[in-house]
Amino acid sequence: MQTNRVTGQSSSVNQQVSDPVRHDWQREEVSDLFAEPLMDLLLQAQAVHRQYFSPNKVQISSLLSIKTGGCPEDCAYCPQSVHHNTGLEAAKLMQVETVVREARKAKEAGATRFCMGGAWRSPKDRDMDVICAMINGVADLGMETCMTLGMLSPQQTLQLRAAGLDYYNHNIDSSEEYYKQIITTRTYEDRLNTLEQVREAGIGVCSGGIVGMGEAISDRVDMLVTLANLPEHPGSVPINMLVQVAGTPLQHLDKMDNFEFVRTIAVAKILMPASVVRLSAGRLEMSDEMQALCFMAGASSIFAGTKLLTTENPEQEADFELLRRLGMTSNTGGDKHAAQPVI
Ligand code: SAM
Ligand code: DTB
Ligand code: SF4
């Protein structure tokens, strides 16, 4: 057994720190990672993170719902589904100027990536020109662009690529097994097919999931193994803590153990060391200390701004104050690709 050059420790699991980026993760070894003592897991994840990223930097993204509510899909977590009575007011596709105005505000507030979300099963072909104009308008501000619009046809994927879209967000959400209990109107395979199409078109992939939906640890293992064994690791891996919205079927679930959430971030980082793991939805419910543990576990990106898509997010002042107290800085300035890995 060798001593790891980064952690100075000598377990077989710790040896993974110096492994190159892998695509052959086995469920058993990933289950073992989840079962590590928390401090060992955190140390490994932080060591892996430091091999690829500047450890005291956080990238800031900002979200905008460009088409809200009225979605025909039945995702049990989502306030935007027509199947749930959440009292959300639906809104049609926004105008390009409104979107660019919001992106400019987000840039001024320190965001380097602007993520636009549409509550669709898949976008309509007739909306694609407007969507591409949004991409152009936001890119002209010098920001990275991200869209999340549901399933895409091959032609729509190419249109997004031609418009210069940097990232497409499409979450696998959970394990294949648990997915069936959360969504019945599409399959896991549908999800993987869209991801493949996006990847093959050369658009950056942003894909992660939600924890705290009542899934077992083995579902978190399977979700992360699926992501890590894709032909390429997603460039961004958002880990969302379920936001329990009144009127959705998941509203009354018991809250998950915070440390289990931190573990999910840490394991995502160890499996996909060169990817940006994003501490995504659910931060409003998290203490400063918990968020600090998530950064320790290798999260290096957050959504800033008081709104996610339809639910609340912390005040930006509070976020900057937290980063200041932790001696961390954000990659402000709006330069494209500002959150680069260190190697
Ligand atoms: N309709 C498109 C789709 O589902 O791919 C794009 C928008 S959808 C709202 C984007 C992602 O938001 C979902 O895949 C899910 O992971 C996340 N999300 C939605 N509701 C959430 C909630 N209540 N808590 C945490 N994440 C949520
Ligand atoms: C992601 O993984 N999380 C963001 C973004 N990608 C699109 C969305 C979170 C949505 C939380 C619920 C809401 O605000 O509607
Ligand atoms: Fe629709 Fe996306 Fe919400 Fe599912 S997650 S209901 S597809 S908006």
Side-chain angles (χ1 to χ4, degrees):
M1 194 177 291
Q2 294 171 345
T3 302
N4 186 282
R5 68 183 165 85
V6 179
T7 62
Q9 293 189 0
S10 58
S11 77
S12 57
V13 171
N14 283 325
Q15 249 178 277
Q16 288 157 1
V17 169
S18 53
D19 281 343
V21 169
R22 289 176 49 192
H23 299 268
D24 60 351
W25 289 95
Q26 304 298 307
R27 287 155 109 176
E28 295 70 34
E29 59 180 334
V30 176
S31 293
D32 288 349
L33 279 174
F34 267 96
E36 286 265 299
L38 184 63
M39 299 307 141
D40 290 354
L41 183 63
L42 284 178
L43 180 62
Q44 274 182 77
Q46 178 65 203
V48 163
H49 185 57
R50 281 166 186 255
Q51 289 185 317
Y52 291 88
F53 291 89
S54 176
N56 299 307
K57 289 242 185 286
V58 174
Q59 184 270 335
I60 311 263
S61 294
S62 183
L63 276 168
L64 179 69
S65 179
I66 59 171
K67 185 268 169 187
T68 305
C71 183
E73 303 278 61
D74 68 354
C75 313
Y77 49 76
C78 187
Q80 305 202 63
S81 164
V82 286
H83 300 264
H84 321 315
N85 227 327
T86 60
L88 180 73
E89 206 176 312
K92 290 200 176 113
L93 184 60
M94 271 183 183
Q95 302 217 318
V96 177
E97 305 78 68
T98 315
V99 172
V100 175
R101 197 182 326 125
E102 291 302 315
R104 187 174 291 113
K105 279 196 234 160
K107 178 182 172 177
E108 284 164 4
T112 57
R113 185 181 300 180
F114 197 62
C115 308
M116 297 159 267
W120 283 303
R121 173 177 166 82
S122 45
K124 304 267 178 304
D125 285 341
R126 63 168 182 265
D127 292 328
M128 290 309 290
D129 286 347
V130 172
I131 288 168
C132 290
M134 290 173 183
I135 295 168
N136 291 325
V138 174
D140 285 348
L141 299 174
M143 300 180 87
E144 286 186 321
T145 54
C146 179
M147 286 267 172
T148 178
L149 313 168
M151 287 186 267
L152 297 174
S153 70
Q155 198 204 343
Q156 290 171 339
T157 311
L158 295 178
Q159 284 173 287
L160 294 176
R161 171 68 181 153
L165 182 69
D166 292 307
Y167 281 91
Y168 195 74
N169 167 245
H170 202 64
N171 292 336
I172 62 167
D173 283 337
S174 195
S175 66
E176 181 166 18
E177 186 67 19
Y178 200 64
Y179 199 76
K180 297 179 202 125
Q181 298 196 34
I182 297 294
I183 299 152
T184 69
T185 49
R186 59 170 186 257
T187 65
Y188 210 62
E189 209 186 336
D190 289 333
R191 223 56 190 166
L192 295 174
N193 287 342
T194 297
L195 284 174
E196 183 180 10
Q197 231 171 250
V198 168
R199 188 172 57 242
E200 287 187 349
I203 301 171
V205 170
C206 170
S207 188
I210 310 179
V211 286
M213 298 193 293
E215 73 284 350
I217 293 173
S218 59
D219 293 306
R220 293 175 205 143
V221 168
D222 287 356
M223 173 179 89
L224 293 181
V225 166
T226 300
L227 291 171
N229 289 348
L230 288 172
E232 285 170 37
H233 292 173
S236 305
V237 181
I239 304 294
N240 297 274
M241 164 86 93
L242 173 71
V243 180
Q244 296 187 350
V245 179
T248 62
L250 304 185
Q251 121 181 60
H252 295 301
L253 280 183
D254 287 343
K255 286 264 180 330
M256 75 180 287
D257 178 358
N258 281 342
F259 294 129
E260 291 299 324
F261 183 84
V262 176
R263 280 178 189 281
T264 309
I265 299 248
V267 175
K269 172 50 57 171
I270 293 167
L271 267 52
M272 295 168 277
S275 304
V276 174
V277 175
R278 183 172 301 115
L279 171 55
S280 301
R283 288 196 304 114
L284 202 58
E285 300 274 316
M286 295 177 198
S287 68
D288 288 349
E289 292 77 7
M290 163 135 175
Q291 293 185 61
L293 279 180
C294 292
F295 295 138
M296 178 76 190
S300 59
S301 168
I302 55 172
F303 287 119
T306 51
K307 213 165 183 197
L308 290 165
L309 288 174
T310 66
T311 64
E312 305 299 306
N313 200 39
E315 294 288 336
Q316 192 139 347
E317 276 313 306
D319 285 341
F320 281 118
E321 176 61 7
L322 173 60
L323 294 183
R324 191 195 62 73
R325 286 166 64 211
L326 298 176
M328 300 179 88
T329 52
S330 62
N331 290 295
T332 53
D335 296 338
K336 265 196 141 193
H337 311 296
Q340 289 295 342
V342 285
I343 57 169

